[in-house]
Amino acid sequence: MSEAPLPAIRSLPSWLLGRAAARGRTLVAEALAEEDMRMWHHVVLSAVRDLGPVAQADLGRGIRLDPKDLVGILDDLQSADLVLRQPDPRDRRKNAVSLTTRGARLLKRCEKAARAANDELLAPLSAAEREQFTDMLRRISGTAG
């Protein structure tokens, strides 16, 4: 059974962006799976590296992840010796999360895999087009600057 043409819908930039985003997520998820990593785990590891040591609550707010979901991901990462949760020296009532050496090594491999997946996604574009496209995406997503 073939898909209905839906030319009006399929010509909308929002529909095209959604399709491109879905393809990009699939490519990155498959690349991360090669490292036995899931998308949100990768996001959390990356944020811990950039912000750490970081209070667990601040980490969740920083990546806009529900605290219950964050706890499960941190449990997974800690049990794999990728992050460490310890009492925050500034406020002992809070946990501070930091990256372990093993977590830093895995994160480097995951970042390389994610870049390769994005290269595959953008393969039809020239280097100049990739730069222009990425700039346009930043502007329309509200993340420019």
Side-chain angles (χ1 to χ4, degrees):
M1 178 174 179
S2 65
E3 289 187 32
L6 302 172
I9 296 295
R10 292 182 180 194
S11 66
L12 292 173
S14 56
W15 189 87
L16 293 167
L17 282 169
R19 299 300 302 162
R23 183 167 180 261
R25 277 191 303 277
T26 297
L27 290 169
V28 171
E30 289 171 355
L32 292 175
E34 293 291 320
E35 293 293 340
D36 201 26
M37 183 65 51
R38 293 189 300 262
M39 294 276 264
W40 271 109
H41 290 69
H42 178 236
V43 169
V44 170
L45 272 184
S46 185
V48 169
R49 189 250 340 260
D50 293 348
L51 303 171
V54 59
Q56 191 169 310
D58 294 338
L59 174 63
R61 280 189 295 276
I63 58 174
R64 295 186 175 114
L65 186 61
D66 182 89
K68 294 181 301 267
D69 295 329
L70 178 61
V71 167
I73 291 169
L74 288 173
D75 287 346
D76 293 344
L77 295 173
Q78 187 167 7
S79 69
D81 190 35
L82 302 173
V83 299
L84 183 62
R85 286 184 281 192
Q86 297 178 306
D88 188 328
R90 295 177 302 259
D91 184 346
R92 306 293 268 169
R93 296 169 296 169
K94 298 179 180 180
N95 278 328
V97 184
S98 57
L99 209 55
T100 65
T101 302
R102 181 177 176 168
R105 283 194 307 263
L106 176 61
L107 182 57
K108 284 184 185 205
R109 292 193 311 271
C110 288
E111 287 173 335
K112 183 178 179 181
R115 277 192 302 276
N118 276 277
D119 286 344
E120 182 179 343
L121 176 68
L122 299 178
L125 305 178
S126 70
E129 288 172 324
R130 288 178 186 205
E131 191 173 319
Q132 183 181 20
F133 180 66
T134 302
D135 179 60
M136 288 187 285
L137 287 173
R138 281 189 192 101
R139 292 190 333 232
I140 64 173
S141 68
T143 59

